[in-house]
């Protein structure tokens, strides 16, 4: 299937990011696969997909918390295929924070990658997306609207990303659409100490099961290809978790 669209996916080497890369590539898009430290995973995935369609995936390394370098990173991304149609802000940081232990370093690690980097990337790619009448998708979280106990800074950062989504939808209209996807219990960290919380959230989810990364990728494909009259919206892909208290 041929598709002229070019999508840049941050944090695209592993987990949900890798599924976004695979699914959008499968739909025919060309992909700029951004990564920070996961070089082996990024190069392996790019090699696998380029074997299927030559020159269709380009890995791009960059530290999104080096904010001053983001404009150059965006400009480099736009040169690979001489256009840029979609930015998916997927790169994220997730870890608990006791309120008594919050400090500037913790704040920056969570708010920096979850909110500041998407803002500066949006700013940097806006001219390219304006030219292509493209769109931005931010991977938010259902806990942007209902804070997760024990994760206050994370929840704050994702709440900020939700407002960034709506604000940029207004600022960049009518040329660029900006939407978000808020996952529920989908591909949580594998560490043992997350398991009890994970199971508790699933038990309070209407569909009583964990979602799959493909569910997020399907929502992204809809927003890119089939939602030309949708902007400023955040789609909850959460199995009905937000229906319960």
């Amino acid at each position: 299937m041929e598709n002229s669209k070019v999508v840049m996916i941050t944090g695209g080497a592993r987990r949900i990011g890798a599924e976004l890369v695979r699914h959008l590539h499968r739909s025919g898009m060309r992909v700029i696969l951004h990564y920070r430290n996961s070089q082996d995973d990024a190069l392996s995935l790019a090699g696998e997909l380029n074997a299927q369609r030559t020159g269709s995936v380009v890995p791009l390394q960059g530290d999104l918390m080096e904010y001053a370098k983001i404009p150059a990173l965006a400009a480099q991304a736009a040169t690979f295929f001489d256009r840029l149609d979609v930015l998916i802000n997927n790169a994220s940081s997730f870890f608990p924070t006791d309120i008594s232990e919050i400090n500037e370093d913790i704040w920056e690690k969570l708010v920096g990658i979850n909110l500041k980097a998407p803002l500066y990337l949006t700013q940097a790619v806006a001219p390219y997306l304006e030219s292509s009448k493209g769109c931005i998708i931010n991977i938010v979280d259902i806990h942007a609207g209902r804070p997760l106990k024990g994760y206050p800074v994370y929840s704050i950062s994702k709440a900020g990303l939700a407002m960034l989504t709506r604000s940029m939808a207004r600022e960049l209209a009518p040329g660029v659409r900006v939407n978000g996807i808020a996952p529920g219990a989908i591909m949580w960290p594998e560490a043992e100490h997350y398991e009890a919380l994970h199971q508790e959230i699933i038990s309070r989810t209407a569909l009583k099961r964990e979602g799959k990364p493909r569910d997020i990728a399907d929502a992204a494909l809809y927003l890119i290809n089939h939602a030309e009259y949708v902007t400023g919206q955040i789609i909850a892909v959460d199995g009905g978790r937000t229906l319960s208290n």
Side-chain angles (χ1 to χ4, degrees):
M1 183 186 303
E2 293 298 324
N3 187 321
S4 63
K5 288 186 172 68
V6 175
V7 54
M8 177 179 178
I9 302 171
T10 68
R14 302 177 65 240
R15 298 171 59 81
I16 288 173
E19 180 60 26
L20 285 164
V21 169
R22 290 181 188 279
H23 195 52
L24 299 183
H25 181 268
R26 193 179 302 120
S27 79
M29 295 184 201
R30 293 169 289 176
V31 180
I32 299 163
L33 192 171
H34 163 268
Y35 66 97
R36 182 177 64 173
N37 296 324
S38 303
Q39 177 172 298
D40 290 345
D41 291 322
L43 297 183
S44 175
L45 180 55
E48 172 193 331
L49 298 181
N50 280 325
Q52 298 172 17
R53 203 165 76 242
T54 303
S56 56
V57 178
V58 177
L60 175 62
Q61 195 279 332
D63 186 344
L64 298 180
M65 292 184 68
E66 294 182 354
Y67 308 121
K69 296 182 179 179
I70 284 180
L73 189 74
Q76 184 181 4
T79 64
F80 290 131
F81 300 105
D82 295 321
R83 64 181 295 153
L84 188 62
D85 299 276
V86 184
L87 167 66
I88 300 182
N89 283 308
N90 167 73
S92 182
S93 184
F94 175 81
F95 57 84
T97 48
D98 186 282
I99 190 168
S100 67
E101 297 175 354
I102 295 171
N103 56 34
E104 192 65 26
D105 180 60
I106 287 172
W107 180 267
E108 182 61 21
K109 284 178 178 176
L110 285 164
V111 175
I113 194 65
N114 293 349
L115 178 57
K116 291 170 70 174
L119 168 61
Y120 292 133
L121 263 175
T122 296
Q123 181 184 53
V125 303
Y128 307 111
L129 299 183
E130 177 74 31
S131 297
S132 62
K133 299 301 178 186
C135 68
I136 296 170
I137 299 171
N138 294 321
I139 305 301
V140 190
D141 193 301
I142 60 169
H143 296 295
R146 47 168 65 208
L148 181 61
K149 184 173 177 57
Y151 295 74
V153 181
Y154 172 80
S155 299
I156 290 165
S157 71
K158 288 296 187 175
L161 185 58
M163 183 52 70
L164 175 69
T165 301
R166 298 184 179 102
S167 296
M168 291 300 102
R170 173 160 283 188
E171 297 296 328
L172 300 181
V176 180
R177 294 182 298 110
V178 185
N179 293 290
I181 299 171
I186 298 177
M187 196 170 268
W188 271 52
E190 296 174 356
E192 186 175 338
H193 63 269
Y194 289 113
E195 185 59 25
L197 178 60
H198 188 196
Q199 291 305 318
E200 178 189 353
I201 289 174
I202 291 173
S203 73
R204 294 158 72 179
T205 296
L207 297 184
K208 302 298 182 190
R209 60 179 174 84
E210 182 176 5
K212 299 178 181 178
R214 175 67 179 266
D215 298 320
I216 303 301
D218 280 336
L221 189 60
Y222 160 72
L223 288 171
I224 295 168
N225 280 348
H226 306 292
E228 293 185 358
Y229 201 57
V230 178
T231 195
Q233 303 304 306
I234 297 174
I235 300 175
V237 182
D238 67 351
R241 170 66 185 91
T242 43
L243 296 174
S244 63
N245 293 325

